[in-house]
């Protein structure tokens, strides 16, 4: 039985469970025992999902201290001899995984989006070169297989529950970071674009009328997203950027308004059910991936579609 | 005490010419921001020293010379054929051994490199040197940046946060910071700096052949292939009344609106 260790996603604890899909990819559904290490979440969310919940004793480490968390994981590895250690690809995760890999002298695959087994060997896939190519990585050497998992790349279906053992880790921690949070300057909206089934996304061709996307998104019960073009221009906020250096989204409906469909943008679309592209050019790459292409001006499209969706009774009187 | 700064820089294929056969190299955009910040600190305090260090093929030498035409005090290029095929682990190991011998107050790096983009190197350099490190730095407060501590802003999933961290430490900037490299002074443009790039090999740093390159690497890239997406055969409409009606029908059919 393989032993796999998963570090809790400190940002969205519920998403931690999706990392199990990566372990399933390596060992099959029943081929491993799962250990989850909790830094700031309570065990309830995890019971029935993981075989072993390891709670880090209250007050032992700060949930933003990469060095202390690295040390805890290293110590746990010494105890349990994990075959693999999976870390969420959050900013914190990216500051922990390389430290741990360094200490354990093992390779690290970063931003993993897929895992398969071929001829009995684990093959790990990750995007490289700004999302234009996919690399296949073969783990080597005696160390545990280590990776950071790209957020939203894996999805683990809710399954029947497993018996869960809960233990507490209260080992002493000797290395701590000096990082102190002085303040949060710009908190983000609590709901993430990844949580919506409908996204109304704007790109360079919708820069002129970007604020008009919001009422349309509201009318469709969706959220507004953007290409990096608009983020770089300061028109849209970074946390709604879709793509290689933004978020990976899987909505049922993606309206791409004035978005060209560069490789780096498409890298953020995973398993989108339907795409409607609005573009002055029917030759933009996004159009080939779309179910419907509206050839024309994005701003005019929004205005006319809104008129149809929410006829204004006072308009023609 | 004026600060001693080390900037790690990587030269990467220009993503705009990836498909155009031979790859033109550019300074990794995040690294340009980190160096841009360092030069801004130096312009306010000429006592500050800046060293840039890169691990990369000898073909990057002219790019290093360009950096020496700015107010960079020292440029080091680490290369030998044995380093070819080094993964992030070896890269971190070689760079951190070099940096360990050159005491400094802050190591400035990029957060991601365009080609690798794993953000592994700065974190492992910090781990190896026993230092704190932060990714996603977008602003460093010049008035609170000294050999004892730095106050800076960084972005992550939750937003923008202001942090304080003890120095020496490793700060990894992103291109969102907007720090820019200055243009070289006209007199510097013509300055011959060809002898000024300090070139070292892995042996100079005490590594044996089996510790570097593919032999020393811990991960192996077995292959790579271009990303492809499922193509469809879209219905094309216009923004006239008929077109909009068909969009609404499609949205209704998909259950997105009533
Ligand atoms: C390392 C790296 C990472 C990157 N990461 C990302 C990322 O995460 N996300 C991302 O989006 N990009 C990313 N990019 C940038 C990416 O390469 C493109 O530059 C970007 O996606 C272009 O945005 P766009 O399609 O909105 O704009 P443009 O390229 O300007 O395209 C505009 C499109 O709108 C159409 N148009 C013009 N006018 C109108 C109009 N009036 N009405 C309708 N259509 C119109 C045009 O035909 C065109 O197709 C990255 C690049 C690099 C190098
Ligand atoms: N070969 C290298 N030489 C110098 N610095 C590097 C090298 N590789 C990575 N770095 C630094 O580490 C940062 C992150 O790179 P990466 O880990 O490849 O995403 C870069 O922005 C550089 O500052």
């Amino acid at each position: 039985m393989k032993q796999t260790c998963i570090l809790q996603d400190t940002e969205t604890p519920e998403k931690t469970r999706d990392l199990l899909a990566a372990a399933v990819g390596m060992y099959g559904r029943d081929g491993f025992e799962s250990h989850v290490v909790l830094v700031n979440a309570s065990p309830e969310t995890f019971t029935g999902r993981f075989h072993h919940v390891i709670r880090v004793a209250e007050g032992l480490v700060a949930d933003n201290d990469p060095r202390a968390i690295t040390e805890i994981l290293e110590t746990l590895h010494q105890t349990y001899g994990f075959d693999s250690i999976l870390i969420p690809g959050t900013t914190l995760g990216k500051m922990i995984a390389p430290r741990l890999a360094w200490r354990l002298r093992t390779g690290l695959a970063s931003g993993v989006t897929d895992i398969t087994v071929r001829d009995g060997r684990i093959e790990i896939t990750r995007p490289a070169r700004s999302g234009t190519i996919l690399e296949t990585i073969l783990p080597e050497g005696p160390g545990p297989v280590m990776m950071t998992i790209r957020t939203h790349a894996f999805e683990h279906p809710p399954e029947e529950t497993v018996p869960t053992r809960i233990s507490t880790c209260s080992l002493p921690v000797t290395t701590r970071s000096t990082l102190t949070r002085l303040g949060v300057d710009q908190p983000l909206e609590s709901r993430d674009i990844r949580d919506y089934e409908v996204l109304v996304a704007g790109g360079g061709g919708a820069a002129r009328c970007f604020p008009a996307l919001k009422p349309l998104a509201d009318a469709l019960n969706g959220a507004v997203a953007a290409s990096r073009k608009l983020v770089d221009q300061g028109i849209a906020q970074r946390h709604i950027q879709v793509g290689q250096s933004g978020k990976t989204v899987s909505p049922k409906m993606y309206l791409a308004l004035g978005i060209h469909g560069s490789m780096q943008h498409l890298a953020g679309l995973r398993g989108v059910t339907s795409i409607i592209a609005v573009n002055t050019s029917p030759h933009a790459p996004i159009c080939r991936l779309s179910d419907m292409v509206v050839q024309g001006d994005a701003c005019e499209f929004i205005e006319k579609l809104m008129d149809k969706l929410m006829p204004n009774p006072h308009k023609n009187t | 005490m004026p600060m001693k700064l080390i900037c790690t820089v990587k030269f990467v294929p220009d993503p705009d010419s990836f498909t155009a056969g031979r790859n033109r190299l550019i300074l990794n955009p995040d690294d340009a921001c980190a160096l841009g910040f360092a030069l801004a600190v130096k312009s306010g305090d000429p006592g500050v020293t800046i060293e840039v260090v890169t691990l990369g093929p000898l073909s990057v030498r002219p790019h290093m010379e360009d950096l020496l035409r700015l107010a960079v005090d020292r440029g080091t290029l680490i290369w030998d054929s044995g380093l070819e095929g080094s993964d992030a682990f070896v890269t971190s190991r070689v760079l951190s051994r070099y940096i360990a011998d050159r005491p400094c107050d802050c190591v400035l790096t990029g957060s991601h490199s365009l080609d690798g983009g794993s953000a592994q190197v700065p974190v492992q350099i910090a781990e190896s040197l026993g230092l704190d490190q932060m990714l996603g730095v977008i602003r460093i407060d010049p008035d609170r940046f000294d050999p004892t501590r730095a106050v800076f802003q960084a972005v992550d999933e939750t937003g923008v946060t202001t942090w304080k961290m003890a120095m020496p430490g490793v700060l990894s900037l992103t291109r969102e910071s907007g720090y820019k490299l200055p243009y070289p002074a006209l007199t510097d443009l013509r300055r011959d700096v060809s002898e000024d790039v300090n070139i070292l090999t892995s042996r100079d740093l005490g590594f044996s052949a089996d510790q570097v390159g593919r032999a020393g690497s811990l991960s192996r890239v077995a292959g790579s292939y271009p990303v492809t997406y499922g193509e469809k055969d879209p219905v094309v409409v216009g923004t006239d009344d008929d077109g909009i009606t068909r969009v609404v029908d499609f949205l209704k059919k998909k259950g997105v609106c009533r």
Side-chain angles (χ1 to χ4, degrees):
Chain A
M1 191 68 111
K2 298 289 185 184
Q3 305 297 318
T4 198
C5 171
I6 293 177
L7 177 65
Q8 178 219 327
D9 185 329
T10 51
E11 291 314 323
T12 13
E14 321 80 66
K15 296 243 162 79
T16 311
R17 196 159 53 85
D18 286 336
L19 273 68
L20 284 169
V24 172
M26 288 189 283
Y27 312 125
R29 266 192 39 172
D30 302 316
F32 67 96
E33 195 180 354
S34 55
H35 307 257
V36 64
V37 180
L38 303 193
V39 178
N40 67 358
S42 58
E44 290 79 61
T45 330
F46 302 87
T47 42
R49 303 292 176 203
F50 292 84
H51 297 106
H52 183 194
V53 172
I54 306 172
R55 221 171 47 90
V56 174
E58 192 135 353
L60 189 61
V61 299
D63 63 4
N64 57 30
D65 184 338
R67 293 173 80 183
I69 298 173
T70 302
E71 189 176 320
I72 298 256
L73 292 172
E74 184 189 20
T75 318
L76 289 171
H77 175 66
Q78 281 156 5
T79 311
Y80 295 98
F82 301 124
D83 296 285
S84 54
I85 302 176
L86 314 179
I87 311 265
T90 56
T91 304
L92 181 69
K94 288 182 200 164
M95 296 198 287
I96 292 171
R99 285 189 184 267
L100 184 61
W102 177 271
R103 288 186 176 210
L104 302 179
R105 288 289 184 272
T106 191
L108 171 68
S110 311
V112 171
T113 54
D114 197 17
I115 298 174
T116 50
V117 176
R118 199 189 306 249
D119 303 330
R121 289 212 63 167
I122 296 169
E123 289 190 359
I124 303 171
T125 304
R126 67 174 291 259
R129 287 214 191 169
S130 337
T132 54
I133 62 164
L134 293 174
E135 272 180 3
T136 308
I137 294 173
L138 303 178
E140 283 185 338
V145 177
M146 269 200 71
M147 58 189 103
T148 58
I149 306 289
R150 178 156 173 112
T151 313
H152 221 265
F154 289 86
E155 209 172 316
H156 191 66
E159 283 176 63
E160 75 274 24
T161 56
V162 297
T164 302
R165 168 164 67 97
I166 300 180
S167 62
T168 302
C169 164
S170 44
L171 300 153
V173 171
T174 54
T175 349
R176 292 179 191 280
S177 83
T178 64
L179 273 167
T180 348
R181 195 183 263 136
L182 298 186
V184 174
D185 306 277
Q186 224 187 79
L188 299 178
E189 271 183 47
S190 55
R191 244 185 115 184
D192 195 295
I193 54 167
R194 292 177 286 220
D195 299 334
Y196 287 84
E197 297 203 328
V198 178
L199 288 178
V200 178
R208 199 162 40 85
C209 55
F210 187 68
L213 269 64
K214 176 82 173 101
L216 176 57
D218 288 343
L220 300 174
N221 273 319
V224 174
S227 74
R228 170 140 147 201
K229 183 79 157 246
L230 296 192
V231 176
D232 284 350
Q233 291 179 350
I235 295 172
Q237 278 191 296
R238 178 187 130 104
H239 70 283
I240 63 166
Q241 179 187 318
V242 170
Q244 171 63 22
S245 51
K247 290 178 173 166
T248 305
V249 297
S250 319
K252 281 204 179 117
M253 179 66 67
Y254 191 73
L255 271 83
L257 309 178
I259 291 180
H260 191 62
S262 68
M263 283 292 226
Q264 292 85 10
H265 187 81
L266 300 179
L269 301 179
R270 181 179 151 271
V272 181
T273 321
S274 307
I275 299 179
I276 301 179
V278 183
N279 205 298
T280 41
S281 162
H283 304 296
I286 187 90
C287 296
R288 286 200 304 271
L289 312 179
S290 302
D291 299 82
M292 191 172 235
V293 171
V294 182
Q295 186 178 356
D297 176 58
C299 302
E300 190 186 333
F301 168 82
I302 298 173
E303 205 175 301
K304 288 185 169 170
L305 181 59
M306 281 305 282
D307 280 349
K308 265 239 160 38
L309 292 173
M310 324 214 107
N312 182 343
H314 305 295
K315 194 160 179 180
N316 298 319
T317 54
Chain B
M1 267 296 278
M3 292 180 86
K4 288 196 173 68
L5 307 175
I6 292 188
C7 297
T8 61
V9 297
K10 184 176 183 184
F11 297 92
V12 297
D14 183 349
D16 294 330
S17 70
F18 268 156
T19 45
R22 285 193 54 185
N23 291 330
R24 200 168 64 98
L25 292 178
I26 55 164
L27 176 58
N28 185 45
D30 283 4
D31 300 357
C33 293
L35 181 57
F37 168 76
L39 289 164
V41 174
K42 180 161 182 166
S43 75
D45 179 358
V48 168
T49 56
I50 303 175
E51 164 158 14
V52 293
V53 54
T54 188
L55 186 157
L58 293 175
S59 58
V60 307
R61 185 176 178 154
H63 296 281
M64 286 295 276
E65 290 172 10
D66 287 343
L67 299 184
L68 287 171
R69 291 197 180 86
L70 305 171
V72 168
D73 299 276
R74 185 180 159 100
T76 299
L77 166 57
I78 305 174
W79 189 249
D80 57 79
S81 57
L83 284 168
E84 211 158 307
S86 297
D87 67 354
F89 170 77
V90 172
T91 304
S92 309
R93 199 171 178 196
V94 173
L95 287 172
S96 56
R97 185 173 293 180
Y98 176 75
I99 294 170
D101 279 342
R102 303 196 55 81
C104 70
D105 300 302
C106 182
V107 180
L108 294 160
T109 80
S111 282
H112 292 271
S113 62
L114 278 189
D115 54 345
S118 64
Q120 195 172 328
V121 172
V123 183
Q124 292 195 327
I125 289 177
E127 177 64 25
S128 161
L129 299 173
L131 299 176
D132 284 334
Q133 183 269 349
M134 189 59 148
L135 287 177
V137 174
I138 53 166
R139 189 177 170 274
I140 301 172
D141 181 351
D143 299 326
R144 291 184 285 175
F145 181 60
D146 63 35
T148 64
R149 58 94 172 86
V151 172
F152 55 88
Q153 289 181 312
V155 281
D156 64 18
E157 298 76 15
T158 60
V160 178
T161 304
T162 301
W163 300 92
K164 187 171 92 170
M165 194 172 103
M167 290 287 116
V170 179
L171 294 177
S172 306
L173 284 84
T174 82
R175 37 178 266 171
E176 274 168 76
S177 65
Y179 292 117
K180 295 215 162 38
L181 286 182
Y183 291 104
L186 215 51
T187 43
D188 287 330
L189 264 178
R190 278 181 237 109
R191 195 155 57 91
D192 180 14
V193 290
S194 52
E195 296 305 310
D196 297 351
V197 181
N198 169 37
I199 296 182
L200 289 178
T201 66
S202 57
R203 280 180 306 281
D204 295 333
L205 293 169
F207 289 101
S208 59
D210 60 342
Q211 290 177 312
V212 295
R214 263 178 215 106
S217 294
L218 296 173
S219 51
R220 185 155 72 88
V221 178
S224 65
Y225 47 95
V227 181
T228 52
Y229 296 90
E231 299 203 356
K232 294 179 177 169
D233 192 13
V235 179
V236 181
V237 300
T239 48
D240 52 6
D241 197 56
D242 174 57
I244 302 294
T245 306
R246 290 176 68 179
V247 170
V248 173
D249 290 344
F250 184 68
L251 292 172
K252 283 183 182 159
K253 193 173 121 202
K254 296 286 168 187
V256 171
C257 68
R258 282 186 292 150

